[in-house]
Amino acid sequence: MRSGPSTTAIRLTGINKTFDGIPVLRNVDCSIAPGSVHALLGGNGSGKSTLLKILAGVHPADQGGTITIYGRAYAAGSYGPAIARQSGLRFVHQDLGLVPDLTVSENFALESGYPRRAGMAISWRGLRRSTRQSLESAHVDVDPQTLVRDLRPSDRTLVAIARALRDSDEGSHVTLVLDEPTASLPQHEAGVLLEAIRRCQSRGQTIVYVSHRLSEVLEIADRISVLRDGVLVAERSTAGLDEAQIVALMTGQEAREPLARGMPEADARPVLTVSGLVAGPLRGVDLTVRRHEIVGVAGLLGSGRSTLLRTLFGNARMERGGLEVDGAPARLRSPRDAIRRGIALVPEDRGKDAAFADLPLWENVSATAIRSYWSGWRMARATERRDATRLIRTFGIRTATPNAPFTHLSGGNQQKAVLARWLRLDPRLLLLDEPTQGVDAMARADIHELIREHVARGNAALVVSSDFEELESLCHRVIVLRGGSRVAELTGPRLTEAAIAELTQITPKEPTHD
Ligand SMILES: Nc1ncnc2c1ncn2[C@@H]1O[C@H](COP(=O)(O)OP(=O)(O)OP(=O)(O)O)[C@@H](O)[C@H]1O
């Protein structure tokens, strides 16, 4: 740890934030020690991102609080992005802000500008050199000439970190703030990132870090601060803490036991039978999903896992193969065909693919059922709204009002809303792509329970997830895809997180896109 006069890197005192008259952060006091890894935890919607945005100067806090960085105090109301930057704060947000079709150096130049030679021509060599230096000093082993889209996911995050740290001088006070850096990474790639965080810490940098992966937090963080409904309810060392204690801090209640994974009958009728499916990267995949069954699909990026779901939802062209739904041959040429056959898809990117971002929450929940409110000459809007409001309650979606725009909901609540919308159609086959990415431990348990209840009613689910722990705890069976082929199936005692991780990774080099 660096020696210096200040025993606190960042101190927040009396921070309040109100959106449209609704308090989101209430009198938050929080201290972060220099050279520590400090995790900011809390359920979906508890106020973590809002607090980080206040620290970045993106959202102004309400008048009255103070932000102190290495001994310099700023009134929260007059704090802004320039002060954050001058004070050595560097942010990496979840959507890394990298342009996939530009090279790593060009992405660096987007923020720092292009170096110029005399005569004002861009010095491409100078740009590559300075980018290489920044990557080397952050120990990131990536060629500056590579296109960002060709990098593996953990390298993209490392590049974003190196870019954030690029002009931070040795010995200066730097605080790296990471908002859910491992949320979209498969477990083995998350490990690479945690290593990078440890290296930053060993160089004396302070790291503030938001994550829902509690095992990871216990592995890497020195201290945690826990927000519950906008109030900071605990700040303590991770020494001696376990996951159940953290969940109890986040919820104010004892941790719940997960529901048992009931086994489907071996001779249950197939809901879906796929034979010899060829589509995009998929090279002849066979698959059966039965009533009462949750089947997981594991594979690295490029294995074909998302193409499989898209094809089954009529969103990607099936080049060859056979498909049966409930024992009858099916041709799924569009999502409409799929929905008619009782198939629903909850996609991975709920912001882009799944939601009507500007519409209120209740209309988003209602979107799949609009026709049932059309009575020939007018829409029964009041009934529609009342039903949606009931669903919002049943699904435990936390919102101040059903009228809130979808984008104002926190990540986990957005995911529950999208799930609510599809489950109300009672689909025979529910397709889920990364169902709990960015979702807190409690909402994750709720979502798993909703999926289990749905299949218990005689339906089936097919789940793609990079979170192998999720596949182990949720699924009855997991198939492993590699390079477009099905290479293994795990059931019973062989279905473990470790076995899935090993089987997905055997080939070292695979394309990076589905
Ligand atoms: N721009 C906004 N306008 C109105 N309300 C907002 C806005 N941004 C966030 N909120 C509300 O503030 C509360 C806190 O949201 P925030 O995104 O900080 O939660 P979070 O702890 O980061 O959640 P998650 O873990 O799901 O990302 C939520 O109720 C959210 O709906």
Side-chain angles (χ1 to χ4, degrees):
M1 199 184 292
R2 195 183 25 244
S3 63
S6 208
T7 53
T8 310
I10 299 170
R11 186 189 301 279
L12 304 173
T13 333
I15 298 295
N16 286 286
K17 178 70 189 171
T18 310
F19 282 117
D20 309 323
I22 298 163
V24 167
L25 290 174
R26 284 179 279 181
N27 215 15
V28 170
D29 292 343
C30 175
S31 294
I32 291 156
S36 65
V37 176
H38 194 114
L40 181 59
L41 306 178
N44 292 127
S46 58
K48 304 176 298 294
S49 303
T50 305
L51 195 61
L52 293 193
K53 284 179 188 154
I54 287 176
L55 202 54
V58 175
H59 281 330
D62 298 348
Q63 294 294 336
T66 311
I67 299 175
T68 309
I69 303 171
Y70 282 99
R72 284 199 68 169
Y74 303 93
S78 59
Y79 179 88
I83 301 178
R85 185 150 188 91
Q86 279 156 26
S87 311
L89 301 190
R90 301 289 182 268
F91 292 83
V92 176
H93 298 288
Q94 208 181 332
D95 79 342
L96 306 170
L98 298 171
V99 180
D101 290 323
L102 296 182
T103 64
V104 171
S105 343
E106 285 163 344
N107 269 282
F108 269 64
L110 282 182
E111 284 207 344
S112 53
Y114 287 87
R116 307 259 169 194
R117 288 200 299 263
M120 299 306 282
I122 290 176
S123 167
W124 294 104
R125 196 182 303 159
L127 175 61
R128 281 196 298 276
R129 194 181 331 111
S130 66
T131 306
R132 188 165 287 119
Q133 276 163 3
S134 302
L135 291 168
E136 276 170 10
S137 65
H139 297 266
V140 180
D141 184 17
V142 160
D143 181 347
Q145 302 272 65
T146 318
L147 289 177
V148 162
R149 83 166 124 79
D150 291 333
L151 295 175
R152 53 183 188 148
S154 57
D155 281 340
R156 281 179 219 160
T157 312
L158 294 179
V159 163
I161 293 178
R163 183 174 74 166
L165 293 175
R166 80 189 165 275
D167 55 355
S168 46
D169 304 328
E170 269 301 303
S172 64
H173 293 308
V174 171
T175 303
L176 181 62
V177 184
L178 304 167
D179 193 356
E180 292 204 57
T182 57
S184 58
L185 297 183
Q187 244 90 348
H188 64 285
E189 298 234 350
V192 176
L193 195 71
L194 297 187
E195 252 328 292
I197 293 179
R198 284 198 193 93
R199 275 199 305 272
C200 288
Q201 185 182 26
S202 66
R203 287 199 298 272
Q205 287 159 353
T206 308
I207 292 103
V208 181
Y209 160 65
V210 169
S211 177
H212 289 299
R213 293 189 178 176
L214 302 184
S215 57
E216 188 181 287
V217 166
L218 288 172
E219 192 185 325
I220 196 159
D222 301 305
R223 290 184 71 77
I224 58 167
S225 292
V226 181
L227 282 169
R228 192 193 310 147
D229 294 333
V231 175
L232 199 114
V233 290
E235 193 167 297
R236 63 169 67 169
S237 153
T238 48
L241 265 187
D242 63 26
E243 287 186 39
Q245 286 167 304
I246 301 182
V247 171
L249 288 171
M250 294 199 295
T251 55
Q253 296 161 6
E254 291 302 308
R256 274 177 304 174
E257 285 292 316
L259 283 186
R261 168 174 54 189
M263 284 307 287
E265 298 142 40
D267 59 353
R269 275 205 317 276
V271 170
L272 173 78
T273 311
V274 175
S275 45
L277 173 63
V278 176
L282 296 172
R283 301 183 202 142
V285 170
D286 295 337
L287 170 70
T288 304
V289 187
R290 300 175 186 282
R291 294 180 73 207
H292 300 293
E293 200 178 29
I294 307 174
V295 175
V297 182
L300 303 183
L301 272 178
S303 61
R305 53 189 194 173
S306 298
T307 306
L308 176 62
L309 291 194
R310 283 203 303 272
T311 311
L312 295 176
F313 194 55
N315 237 346
R317 204 173 73 81
M318 180 167 150
E319 290 154 39
R320 246 177 304 136
L323 235 162
E324 287 183 9
V325 178
D326 276 326
R331 292 196 66 183
L332 307 175
R333 276 163 301 192
S334 67
R336 206 190 168 116
D337 287 347
I339 293 167
R340 270 207 212 108
R341 300 301 303 260
I343 300 175
L345 170 70
V346 178
E348 177 181 8
D349 189 343
R350 47 198 172 248
K352 183 158 77 55
D353 294 343
F356 305 100
D358 299 327
L359 289 186
L361 167 62
W362 74 270
E363 288 195 48
N364 268 279
V365 168
S366 203
T368 51
I370 281 181
R371 278 159 155 251
S372 59
Y373 296 103
W374 184 249
S375 65
W377 59 280
R378 71 182 185 96
M379 282 286 281
R381 290 293 268 184
T383 319
E384 184 192 359
R385 201 190 130 101
R386 198 188 54 230
D387 289 354
T389 306
R390 204 180 49 236
L391 268 176
I392 291 168
R393 258 201 315 276
T394 314
F395 278 74
I397 302 166
R398 304 194 58 166
T399 177
T401 146
N403 290 328
F406 185 82
T407 42
H408 287 189
L409 294 187
S410 75
N413 286 310
Q414 290 186 2
Q415 183 71 346
K416 282 201 219 168
V418 175
L419 202 60
R421 177 207 296 169
W422 286 106
L423 284 185
R424 73 183 302 185
L425 289 185
D426 202 22
R428 295 286 289 139
L429 176 66
L430 182 62
L431 308 171
L432 297 140
D433 200 355
E434 304 287 359
T436 59
Q437 195 167 293
V439 158
D440 71 38
M442 295 79 73
R444 180 180 146 110
D446 289 346
I447 288 171
H448 286 177
E449 216 166 299
L450 291 168
I451 299 169
R452 287 195 188 101
E453 281 168 13
H454 185 65
V455 302
R457 291 197 293 274
N459 302 305
L462 189 66
V463 182
V464 165
S465 176
S466 334
D467 181 342
F468 300 152
E469 199 261 323
E470 167 162 69
L471 291 179
E472 179 189 328
S473 63
L474 179 66
C475 300
H476 300 103
R477 200 149 55 84
V478 169
I479 64 157
V480 179
L481 293 180
R482 217 163 51 220
S485 301
R486 174 182 160 148
V487 292
E489 175 174 315
L490 295 164
T491 44
R494 289 180 56 233
L495 202 184
T496 62
E497 186 184 342
I500 302 172
E502 197 186 320
L503 284 164
T504 50
Q505 282 175 54
I506 293 172
T507 31
K509 188 105 186 106
E510 283 181 357
T512 45
H513 292 284
D514 259 20

